[in-house]
């Protein structure tokens, strides 16, 4: 497949900037980011610091930048004809906000470490580096210091985003500089509690009618509602979980309505097929030049670490990849030499944010089996907030786009919104609805310079 270079120059360079910022000791970690100014009023519109999911899968900022919320998207018709081409995204979040999208850790996207020892990371380190990056970025771009700031993220970053926000609020209260104008968080399809969210999958599968009433009832009774850490001697529970697995193994967890596609045999009807274009596009040298990606230079320290071949180098990685299998997470995965999964839950961070002047928006696709809405509802309920507005439908083009509910404990507020028919990557499945929900939420605050409320 070929890449339309002229198209890249026209769309990338005219809509966004991409650079590096160093964090950590001696700035040994070089974090790559994409920045897009608001198309509406960049001086007043919110600044959205967007941390992608993962770690390891879908964590590169390139994924949301040209496939979800960024200013450009693939022209799929042209791209499937072996000419990978971009076009403007009519639902770019930059229509309502200034957006920073970051390759948050080494081994993801175009970020890198100057020494391989510095490439080791963890949930806690990612939190610290996110905050350090943001402070440095604002020092380099002082005209955005007064813009309302929202910490945002998706999927696995649901355990990171509240912690970053909390650190900013606490540092502001201590008088630390620079003072960041933080207003809250916007989190999409979040992993919040590693037990609660993964355990909710079976209840969600039952609600989706993927498992029958009798299978769900028997499994719930024999496993005592714990489907994650069950007693291995509890054979009845194990057998019932096997029955559940037989029912849902062929289901696409990202969106139960979508086909489950083989990675080695993608078809045009597979949304995941666009990852093929990402791989080609991200590894094209002209693309990397347009994005200001630094050229590769081997650090001598790597010569003594052959197990890191094709992983970390000084400069860009050997190959841009959508998934870094050495750091991506699953429920039973132990810490690796590259990454420690050391934050189990962010519910305590959410509880501490209740005392802050903090607005939170949680968006959930109602056909997501990765981190289902039912798990999100459970941890929100655990915050014991007062209900400000009851569960109700919300609309786009006079059609039900999803459902919403607002909680409050002044000065804190939280809106929980579902998007009908959306899966885990909400903006991928329902781009218009995702944009409208974000835009209306921003518009509900007095600082907003306008909105697209006609939708």
């Amino acid at each position: 497949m070929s890449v339309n270079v002229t198209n890249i120059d026209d769309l990338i360079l005219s809509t966004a900037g991409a650079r590096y910022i160093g964090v950590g000791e001696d700035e040994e970690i070089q974090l790559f980011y994409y920045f897009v100014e608001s198309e509406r009023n960049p001086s007043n519109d919110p600044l959205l610091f967007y941390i992608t999911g993962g770690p390891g899968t879908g964590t590169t900022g390139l994924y949301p930048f040209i496939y979800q919320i960024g200013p450009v998207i693939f022209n799929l018709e042209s791209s499937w004809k072996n000419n990978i081409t971009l076009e403007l995204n009519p639902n770019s979040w930059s229509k309502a906000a200034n957006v920073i999208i970051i390759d948050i850790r080494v081994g993801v996207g175009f970020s890198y470490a100057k020494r391989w020892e510095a490439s080791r990371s963890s949930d806690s380190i990612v939190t610290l580096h996110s905050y350090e990056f943001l402070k440095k970025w604002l020092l380099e771009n002082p005209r955005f210091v007064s813009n309302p700031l929202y910490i945002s993220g998706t999927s696995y970053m649901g355990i990171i985003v509240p912690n970053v926000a909390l650190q900013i609020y606490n540092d502001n209260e201590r008088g630390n500089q620079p003072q960041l104008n933080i207003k809250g968080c916007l989190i999409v399809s979040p992993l919040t509690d590693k037990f609660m969210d993964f355990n909710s999958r079976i209840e969600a599968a039952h609600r989706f009618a993927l498992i029958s009433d009798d299978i769900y009832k028997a499994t719930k009774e024999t496993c005592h509602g714990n489907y994650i850490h069950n007693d291995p001697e509890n054979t009845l529970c194990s057998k019932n979980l096997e029955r559940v697995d037989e029912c849902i193994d062929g289901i696409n967890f990202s969106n139960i309505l979508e086909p489950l596609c083989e990675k080695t045999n993608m078809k045009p009807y597979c949304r995941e097929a666009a990852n093929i274009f990402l791989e080609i596009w991200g590894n094209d040298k002209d693309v990397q030049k347009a994005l200001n990606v630094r050229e590769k230079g081997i650090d001598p320290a790597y010569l003594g670490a052959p197990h890191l071949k094709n992983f970390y180098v000084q400069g860009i990685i050997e190959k841009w990849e959508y998934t870094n299998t050495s750091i991506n997470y699953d429920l039973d995965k132990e810490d690796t030499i590259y990454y420690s999964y050391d934050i189990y839950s962010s519910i305590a961070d959410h509880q501490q944010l209740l005392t802050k002047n903090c607005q939170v928006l949680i968006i959930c696709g109602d056909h997501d089996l990765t981190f289902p809405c039912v798990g999100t509802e459970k941890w929100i309920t655990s915050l014991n907030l007062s209900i400000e507005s009851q569960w109700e439908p919300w609309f786009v083009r006079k059609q039900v786009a999803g459902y919403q509910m607002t909680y409050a404990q002044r000065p804190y507020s939280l809106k929980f919104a579902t998007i009908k028919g959306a899966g885990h990557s909400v903006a991928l499945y329902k781009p218009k609805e995702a944009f409208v929900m974000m835009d209306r939420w921003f518009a509900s605050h007095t600082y907003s310079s306008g909105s697209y409320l006609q939708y």
Side-chain angles (χ1 to χ4, degrees), residues 28-29 113-121 299 301-302 305 308 312 337:
E28 290 184 326
I29 304 298
K114 294 180 179 179
R115 297 184 307 111
W116 81 267
E117 291 87 353
S119 65
R120 295 172 177 172
S121 191
D299 189 315
Y302 288 85
L308 293 177
Y312 301 130
I337 63 171

Side-chain angles (χ1 to χ4, degrees), residues 55-59 105-109 310-312 317 321-329 333 338 341:
T57 299
T59 48
R105 55 141 294 132
V106 174
V108 168
N310 294 333
F311 189 63
Y312 301 130
I317 54 176
E321 293 180 306
Y322 173 73
T323 298
N324 186 329
T325 56
S326 61
I327 61 175
N328 73 302
Y329 178 77
K333 191 168 186 176
Y338 308 117
Y341 314 102

Side-chain angles (χ1 to χ4, degrees), residues 74-94:
F74 287 119
N75 180 317
L76 295 180
E77 182 179 355
S78 173
S79 297
W80 273 111
K81 294 177 180 177
N82 296 323
N83 182 23
I84 300 177
T85 307
L86 300 177
E87 61 187 12
L88 292 174
N89 180 4
N91 300 298
S92 172
W93 287 20
S94 62

Side-chain angles (χ1 to χ4, degrees), residues 356-414:
K356 314 298 182 183
N357 186 5
C358 179
Q359 288 77 50
V360 177
L361 172 62
I362 307 294
I363 300 176
C364 176
D366 68 2
H367 281 74
D368 178 16
L369 198 57
T370 303
F371 303 132
C373 294
V374 60
T376 303
E377 288 182 277
K378 287 181 185 299
W379 69 257
I380 291 176
T381 300
S382 75
L383 299 178
N384 294 315
L385 292 165
S386 298
I387 297 174
E388 184 172 78
S389 61
Q390 296 285 346
W391 183 264
E392 62 181 0
W394 63 279
F395 299 84
V396 174
R397 299 190 185 98
K398 299 182 180 181
Q399 297 294 318
V400 174
Y403 295 82
Q404 61 186 6
M405 191 170 186
T406 304
Y407 306 80
Q409 180 175 299
R410 299 300 179 196
Y412 175 96
S413 69
L414 183 151

Side-chain angles (χ1 to χ4, degrees), residues 249-318:
D249 272 351
I251 296 296
N252 184 341
F253 276 36
S254 292
N255 188 325
I256 67 164
L257 301 180
E258 298 279 315
L260 184 63
C261 298
E262 298 179 9
K263 294 180 180 179
T264 57
N265 188 28
M266 289 291 182
K267 304 295 183 183
Y269 56 75
C270 300
R271 292 182 193 265
E272 298 87 345
N275 295 345
I276 299 172
F277 308 141
L278 279 173
E279 294 261 354
I280 297 171
W281 202 85
N283 284 292
D284 186 273
K285 298 304 179 185
D286 291 317
V287 169
Q288 293 174 359
K289 183 178 179 180
L291 292 174
N292 302 302
V293 173
R294 292 175 183 168
E295 293 186 4
K296 181 182 66 177
I298 300 296
D299 189 315
Y302 288 85
L303 300 178
H307 59 290
L308 293 177
K309 185 177 185 297
N310 294 333
F311 189 63
Y312 301 130
V313 294
Q314 183 179 355
I316 66 169
I317 54 176
E318 289 279 353

